Amino acid sequence: MIRALILGGTADASVLAAEIARTQIDAVYSYGGRTRTPADQPLPTRIGGFGGVSGLADYIRSEAITHVIDATHPFAAEMSHNAVAACAETGTPLIALERPPWTKVPGDNWIEIRDVNAAVAALPDAPANVFLAIGRQHIAPFASKPQHAYTLRFVDPPEAPLPFAADVIVSRGPFTLEGELEMLRGRGIAWIVARNSGGDGARAKIDAARRLSLPVVMISRARLPERPCVESVAEVMEWLGHSTRLGA
Ligand code: 3Y8
Ligand code: NAP
């Protein structure tokens, strides 16, 4: 009998959860507990960390999990590393559901860099209106360039004081091209900093930047550990169905 654990937190994970609920496969959906009111899921849901690799391995054993699907965000690297280690330790089949990165198309003006510190360095010295579309957790390094007028976008209102003066938009997405064009034009944004999340939920700002000929400082993904990886919910369902067929 299958009992699947979905490491979620993305739009793709929500689509997978709906499909799994429809097929009546026994499953649990897991959020990391980053946002105040995460979207409801049609599956039993747990919220919060497991307590590192050992905590996840204990959870897999105590909850009799037979399959783990890592459907976390491409930048949720620590969770992905822990899933590989815990599944190796417990001998549990693991698959990752990961959308491909966005690729440049004619008209895109990307400055591709590896991490947030390089993103700060890529911004000009002369004051500019800068939109940081990288969430809440990794904005501190931009305090070293306080001359810019920053716009941030968070899922929840900021709880702590910000490391630099900034205007905060509170919105969880997904975002639309029209909405992004209006926001960027209205604020006279001249630079965008983004992470190459892939998927549709956040790509509107990239399309809007192209339309407005704005430079995008694009943070590339860190390398994730080797593990079986698919790009579609259908392939995950086949993987689960395949195991069911073998009576696992
Ligand atoms: C808690 C679940 C859906 C899922 C929505 C996707 C699309 C919108 C794009 C911008 C970029 C950013 C951020 C973003 C996107 C989707 C998807 C995606 C980027 C929720 C969610 C959780 C989180 C966590 C949150 C992070 C933050 C990152 C905002 C739910 C809404 C910037 C990533 O305040 C915090 O601590 C927020 C933390 C990790 C990155 C960061 O470092 O701040 N996502 N986002 C998940 C959990 O607890 O396990 O609340 O319902 C999910 C979504 N975020 O329902 O359609 O699928 O990718 N999320 C980035 O850099 O791309 C926004 O603003 O343009
Ligand atoms: P991370 O840095 O890779 O993980 C840090 C720790 O958070 C993990 O070691 C684990 O704690 C806990 N954790 C993360 N995801 C979890 C999950 N789905 N279920 C249970 N625990 C989880 O993670 P992150 O980048 O902060 O992302 C957190 C969540 O937000 C994930 O669900 C991710 O899919 C979602 N998200 C992230 C981004 C992004 O830009 N990073 C964008 C959209 C959505 P323990 O070690 O204690 O187990």
mmCIF file of all heavy atoms in Angstrom, residues 179-206:
data_model
loop_
_atom_site.group_PDB
_atom_site.id
_atom_site.type_symbol
_atom_site.label_atom_id
_atom_site.label_comp_id
_atom_site.label_asym_id
_atom_site.label_seq_id
_atom_site.Cartn_x
_atom_site.Cartn_y
_atom_site.Cartn_z
ATOM 1 N N GLY A 179 -0.843 43.182 -14.323
ATOM 2 C CA GLY A 179 -0.572 43.688 -12.967
ATOM 3 C C GLY A 179 0.880 44.085 -12.797
ATOM 4 O O GLY A 179 1.197 45.124 -12.202
ATOM 5 N N GLU A 180 1.784 43.284 -13.387
ATOM 6 C CA GLU A 180 3.219 43.581 -13.252
ATOM 7 C C GLU A 180 3.574 44.844 -14.047
ATOM 8 O O GLU A 180 4.319 45.707 -13.575
ATOM 9 C CB GLU A 180 4.073 42.398 -13.710
ATOM 10 C CG GLU A 180 3.850 41.097 -12.943
ATOM 11 C CD GLU A 180 4.348 41.143 -11.498
ATOM 12 O OE1 GLU A 180 3.882 42.013 -10.748
ATOM 13 O OE2 GLU A 180 5.204 40.330 -11.141
ATOM 14 N N LEU A 181 3.022 44.965 -15.241
ATOM 15 C CA LEU A 181 3.308 46.169 -16.066
ATOM 16 C C LEU A 181 2.854 47.417 -15.323
ATOM 17 O O LEU A 181 3.593 48.400 -15.198
ATOM 18 C CB LEU A 181 2.591 46.074 -17.419
ATOM 19 C CG LEU A 181 3.197 45.119 -18.444
ATOM 20 C CD1 LEU A 181 2.231 44.906 -19.603
ATOM 21 C CD2 LEU A 181 4.548 45.619 -18.927
ATOM 22 N N GLU A 182 1.652 47.348 -14.738
ATOM 23 C CA GLU A 182 1.112 48.523 -14.023
ATOM 24 C C GLU A 182 1.999 48.868 -12.824
ATOM 25 O O GLU A 182 2.349 50.031 -12.599
ATOM 26 C CB GLU A 182 -0.314 48.208 -13.560
ATOM 27 C CG GLU A 182 -1.041 49.389 -12.927
ATOM 28 C CD GLU A 182 -2.433 48.973 -12.401
ATOM 29 O OE1 GLU A 182 -2.949 47.932 -12.855
ATOM 30 O OE2 GLU A 182 -2.950 49.683 -11.527
ATOM 31 N N MET A 183 2.404 47.842 -12.088
ATOM 32 C CA MET A 183 3.227 48.076 -10.883
ATOM 33 C C MET A 183 4.586 48.654 -11.279
ATOM 34 O O MET A 183 5.045 49.652 -10.721
ATOM 35 C CB MET A 183 3.396 46.751 -10.132
ATOM 36 C CG MET A 183 4.170 46.831 -8.827
ATOM 37 S SD MET A 183 5.953 46.670 -9.039
ATOM 38 C CE MET A 183 6.076 44.940 -9.455
ATOM 39 N N LEU A 184 5.220 48.073 -12.297
ATOM 40 C CA LEU A 184 6.565 48.510 -12.696
ATOM 41 C C LEU A 184 6.533 49.930 -13.259
ATOM 42 O O LEU A 184 7.361 50.780 -12.904
ATOM 43 C CB LEU A 184 7.150 47.537 -13.727
ATOM 44 C CG LEU A 184 7.438 46.117 -13.209
ATOM 45 C CD1 LEU A 184 7.754 45.174 -14.372
ATOM 46 C CD2 LEU A 184 8.571 46.111 -12.206
ATOM 47 N N ARG A 185 5.538 50.199 -14.096
ATOM 48 C CA ARG A 185 5.422 51.555 -14.681
ATOM 49 C C ARG A 185 5.086 52.557 -13.581
ATOM 50 O O ARG A 185 5.705 53.605 -13.445
ATOM 51 C CB ARG A 185 4.313 51.576 -15.725
ATOM 52 C CG ARG A 185 4.655 50.954 -17.056
ATOM 53 C CD ARG A 185 3.552 51.247 -18.086
ATOM 54 N NE ARG A 185 3.829 50.642 -19.389
ATOM 55 C CZ ARG A 185 3.025 49.724 -19.952
ATOM 56 N NH1 ARG A 185 1.933 49.303 -19.325
ATOM 57 N NH2 ARG A 185 3.311 49.221 -21.143
ATOM 58 N N GLY A 186 4.129 52.180 -12.746
ATOM 59 C CA GLY A 186 3.648 53.123 -11.714
ATOM 60 C C GLY A 186 4.757 53.537 -10.757
ATOM 61 O O GLY A 186 4.768 54.664 -10.255
ATOM 62 N N ARG A 187 5.710 52.613 -10.535
ATOM 63 C CA ARG A 187 6.786 52.918 -9.577
ATOM 64 C C ARG A 187 8.063 53.358 -10.302
ATOM 65 O O ARG A 187 9.097 53.548 -9.686
ATOM 66 C CB ARG A 187 7.064 51.676 -8.719
ATOM 67 C CG ARG A 187 5.906 51.369 -7.789
ATOM 68 C CD ARG A 187 6.021 49.980 -7.183
ATOM 69 N NE ARG A 187 4.901 49.739 -6.287
ATOM 70 C CZ ARG A 187 4.940 49.971 -4.971
ATOM 71 N NH1 ARG A 187 6.043 50.446 -4.420
ATOM 72 N NH2 ARG A 187 3.896 49.741 -4.221
ATOM 73 N N GLY A 188 8.025 53.434 -11.622
ATOM 74 C CA GLY A 188 9.207 53.858 -12.377
ATOM 75 C C GLY A 188 10.397 52.946 -12.125
ATOM 76 O O GLY A 188 11.551 53.391 -12.046
ATOM 77 N N ILE A 189 10.098 51.608 -12.000
ATOM 78 C CA ILE A 189 11.170 50.658 -11.701
ATOM 79 C C ILE A 189 12.167 50.628 -12.870
ATOM 80 O O ILE A 189 11.757 50.550 -14.027
ATOM 81 C CB ILE A 189 10.581 49.248 -11.449
ATOM 82 C CG1 ILE A 189 9.667 49.274 -10.232
ATOM 83 C CG2 ILE A 189 11.706 48.209 -11.305
ATOM 84 C CD1 ILE A 189 10.330 49.554 -8.898
ATOM 85 N N ALA A 190 13.457 50.694 -12.555
ATOM 86 C CA ALA A 190 14.496 50.675 -13.592
ATOM 87 C C ALA A 190 15.287 49.370 -13.565
ATOM 88 O O ALA A 190 15.916 48.999 -14.552
ATOM 89 C CB ALA A 190 15.438 51.855 -13.398
ATOM 90 N N TRP A 191 15.230 48.634 -12.416
ATOM 91 C CA TRP A 191 15.966 47.381 -12.268
ATOM 92 C C TRP A 191 15.101 46.379 -11.530
ATOM 93 O O TRP A 191 14.398 46.742 -10.587
ATOM 94 C CB TRP A 191 17.251 47.601 -11.458
ATOM 95 C CG TRP A 191 18.319 48.343 -12.185
ATOM 96 C CD1 TRP A 191 18.386 49.696 -12.412
ATOM 97 C CD2 TRP A 191 19.477 47.782 -12.807
ATOM 98 N NE1 TRP A 191 19.503 50.010 -13.132
ATOM 99 C CE2 TRP A 191 20.205 48.848 -13.384
ATOM 100 C CE3 TRP A 191 19.977 46.483 -12.943
ATOM 101 C CZ2 TRP A 191 21.401 48.667 -14.084
ATOM 102 C CZ3 TRP A 191 21.173 46.297 -13.627
ATOM 103 C CH2 TRP A 191 21.873 47.379 -14.192
ATOM 104 N N ILE A 192 15.188 45.115 -11.917
ATOM 105 C CA ILE A 192 14.495 44.034 -11.207
ATOM 106 C C ILE A 192 15.545 43.008 -10.794
ATOM 107 O O ILE A 192 16.446 42.676 -11.575
ATOM 108 C CB ILE A 192 13.452 43.344 -12.120
ATOM 109 C CG1 ILE A 192 12.360 44.334 -12.523
ATOM 110 C CG2 ILE A 192 12.846 42.119 -11.423
ATOM 111 C CD1 ILE A 192 11.356 43.772 -13.528
ATOM 112 N N VAL A 193 15.424 42.535 -9.543
ATOM 113 C CA VAL A 193 16.241 41.397 -9.089
ATOM 114 C C VAL A 193 15.289 40.226 -8.873
ATOM 115 O O VAL A 193 14.278 40.367 -8.180
ATOM 116 C CB VAL A 193 17.005 41.715 -7.787
ATOM 117 C CG1 VAL A 193 17.829 40.505 -7.334
ATOM 118 C CG2 VAL A 193 17.902 42.939 -7.968
ATOM 119 N N ALA A 194 15.580 39.082 -9.510
ATOM 120 C CA ALA A 194 14.683 37.916 -9.418
ATOM 121 C C ALA A 194 15.521 36.652 -9.302
ATOM 122 O O ALA A 194 16.717 36.657 -9.605
ATOM 123 C CB ALA A 194 13.798 37.843 -10.658
ATOM 124 N N ARG A 195 14.850 35.581 -8.878
ATOM 125 C CA ARG A 195 15.506 34.279 -8.863
ATOM 126 C C ARG A 195 14.897 33.445 -9.978
ATOM 127 O O ARG A 195 13.695 33.552 -10.244
ATOM 128 C CB ARG A 195 15.287 33.586 -7.518
ATOM 129 C CG ARG A 195 16.074 34.279 -6.447
ATOM 130 C CD ARG A 195 16.142 33.473 -5.213
ATOM 131 N NE ARG A 195 14.859 33.436 -4.526
ATOM 132 C CZ ARG A 195 14.758 33.041 -3.257
ATOM 133 N NH1 ARG A 195 15.808 32.658 -2.600
ATOM 134 N NH2 ARG A 195 13.586 33.023 -2.687
ATOM 135 N N ASN A 196 15.694 32.573 -10.566
ATOM 136 C CA ASN A 196 15.173 31.802 -11.694
ATOM 137 C C ASN A 196 14.325 30.644 -11.163
ATOM 138 O O ASN A 196 14.739 29.479 -11.192
ATOM 139 C CB ASN A 196 16.294 31.291 -12.603
ATOM 140 C CG ASN A 196 15.732 30.901 -13.967
ATOM 141 O OD1 ASN A 196 14.573 30.451 -14.051
ATOM 142 N ND2 ASN A 196 16.509 31.097 -15.020
ATOM 143 N N SER A 197 13.130 31.024 -10.676
ATOM 144 C CA SER A 197 12.216 30.050 -10.061
ATOM 145 C C SER A 197 11.614 29.104 -11.095
ATOM 146 O O SER A 197 11.236 27.992 -10.791
ATOM 147 C CB SER A 197 11.057 30.784 -9.380
ATOM 148 O OG SER A 197 11.565 31.737 -8.500
ATOM 149 N N GLY A 198 11.450 29.615 -12.318
ATOM 150 C CA GLY A 198 10.728 28.801 -13.313
ATOM 151 C C GLY A 198 9.244 28.797 -12.969
ATOM 152 O O GLY A 198 8.804 29.416 -11.992
ATOM 153 N N GLY A 199 8.493 28.072 -13.782
ATOM 154 C CA GLY A 199 7.048 28.002 -13.524
ATOM 155 C C GLY A 199 6.346 29.252 -14.009
ATOM 156 O O GLY A 199 6.960 30.218 -14.465
ATOM 157 N N ASP A 200 5.008 29.223 -13.835
ATOM 158 C CA ASP A 200 4.208 30.338 -14.363
ATOM 159 C C ASP A 200 3.883 31.372 -13.294
ATOM 160 O O ASP A 200 3.565 32.510 -13.611
ATOM 161 C CB ASP A 200 2.886 29.771 -14.925
ATOM 162 C CG ASP A 200 3.164 28.715 -15.993
ATOM 163 O OD1 ASP A 200 4.173 28.888 -16.711
ATOM 164 O OD2 ASP A 200 2.427 27.717 -16.069
ATOM 165 N N GLY A 201 3.946 30.972 -12.032
ATOM 166 C CA GLY A 201 3.450 31.834 -10.952
ATOM 167 C C GLY A 201 4.223 33.113 -10.786
ATOM 168 O O GLY A 201 3.706 34.072 -10.225
ATOM 169 N N ALA A 202 5.452 33.150 -11.264
ATOM 170 C CA ALA A 202 6.261 34.352 -11.027
ATOM 171 C C ALA A 202 6.867 34.891 -12.311
ATOM 172 O O ALA A 202 7.633 35.847 -12.275
ATOM 173 C CB ALA A 202 7.380 34.027 -10.051
ATOM 174 N N ARG A 203 6.500 34.259 -13.478
ATOM 175 C CA ARG A 203 7.225 34.665 -14.691
ATOM 176 C C ARG A 203 6.658 35.950 -15.289
ATOM 177 O O ARG A 203 7.302 36.572 -16.117
ATOM 178 C CB ARG A 203 7.263 33.532 -15.686
ATOM 179 C CG ARG A 203 6.144 33.385 -16.659
ATOM 180 C CD ARG A 203 6.662 32.716 -17.940
ATOM 181 N NE ARG A 203 7.623 33.559 -18.626
ATOM 182 C CZ ARG A 203 8.722 33.081 -19.238
ATOM 183 N NH1 ARG A 203 8.984 31.806 -19.193
ATOM 184 N NH2 ARG A 203 9.529 33.881 -19.862
ATOM 185 N N ALA A 204 5.494 36.420 -14.806
ATOM 186 C CA ALA A 204 4.902 37.628 -15.404
ATOM 187 C C ALA A 204 5.850 38.822 -15.308
ATOM 188 O O ALA A 204 5.935 39.634 -16.234
ATOM 189 C CB ALA A 204 3.574 37.951 -14.707
ATOM 190 N N LYS A 205 6.604 38.911 -14.203
ATOM 191 C CA LYS A 205 7.496 40.065 -14.065
ATOM 192 C C LYS A 205 8.627 40.014 -15.096
ATOM 193 O O LYS A 205 9.112 41.050 -15.550
ATOM 194 C CB LYS A 205 8.079 40.143 -12.665
ATOM 195 C CG LYS A 205 8.899 38.923 -12.242
ATOM 196 C CD LYS A 205 9.426 39.086 -10.838
ATOM 197 C CE LYS A 205 10.156 37.851 -10.382
ATOM 198 N NZ LYS A 205 9.244 36.741 -10.012
ATOM 199 N N ILE A 206 9.011 38.792 -15.486
ATOM 200 C CA ILE A 206 10.082 38.629 -16.479
ATOM 201 C C ILE A 206 9.552 39.061 -17.853
ATOM 202 O O ILE A 206 10.229 39.757 -18.622
ATOM 203 C CB ILE A 206 10.549 37.154 -16.521
ATOM 204 C CG1 ILE A 206 10.898 36.646 -15.122
ATOM 205 C CG2 ILE A 206 11.694 36.982 -17.491
ATOM 206 C CD1 ILE A 206 11.947 37.449 -14.396
#
